[in-house]
Structures are given as structure tokens and as C-alpha cells.
Amino acid sequence: MEGAVMKLENYETRLYCLLADELADGARRVDYEDVARRLGCSRSTVTYNVGKLMSSGVIGCINGKLYLKKE
């Protein structure tokens, strides 16, 4: 899993770090607008990078809730 995280680009890395804190206690809905504000980017950038994180296999989504995937 760490190898996949090491390959992530800047917004992906920052987003992953933020989500790792937010999702540490389990799956939850994430407000992309709030995340964008915290990262200093647009909502579409957050949406795009959430998709990349899902494709990388480090996060998942079930019933609209994001969660961290375990190794």
C-alpha cells in the first residue's frame, strides 16, 4: 500500500493526508466543497483526485461514504 501512496501527485497526496485523518474512525460522507476550501483548490479538483485515489486502491466508496482501504 505504501508504494501506491508514494506514487501520488501533490493534490492527491494532500487529499490523502486529509482523508486519512477524516476517515480514521471509519467510513463517512465527505463534503467536497469543504475539502476544496481546506486544500485551496476547486471542488472539481477534489472530485478528480478522489477518483484517482479510488483507482489507486487507497480509498473506496460504499453507499456514498468514503473509507480507507486496508492493506
Side-chain angles (χ1 to χ4, degrees):
M1 179 76 66
E2 288 180 14
V5 173
M6 295 303 290
K7 295 177 187 175
L8 303 175
E9 294 176 13
N10 190 26
Y11 274 122
E12 285 178 282
T13 303
R14 292 173 55 206
L15 178 60
Y16 178 77
C17 290
L18 190 146
L19 291 176
D21 289 338
E22 294 283 322
L23 304 174
D25 295 328
R28 65 184 288 261
R29 293 190 188 277
V30 175
D31 180 355
Y32 287 13
E33 195 67 40
D34 178 55
V35 171
R37 201 170 20 261
R38 291 166 66 185
L39 291 178
C41 64
S42 68
R43 185 183 185 286
S44 62
T45 298
V46 172
T47 302
Y48 173 75
N49 284 290
V50 165
K52 289 179 75 174
L53 289 170
M54 282 195 241
S55 295
S56 297
V58 294
I59 66 170
C61 183
I62 188 163
N63 297 326
K65 295 180 179 181
L66 295 178
Y67 65 92
L68 297 175
K69 287 191 173 180
K70 306 292 184 208
E71 281 189 58

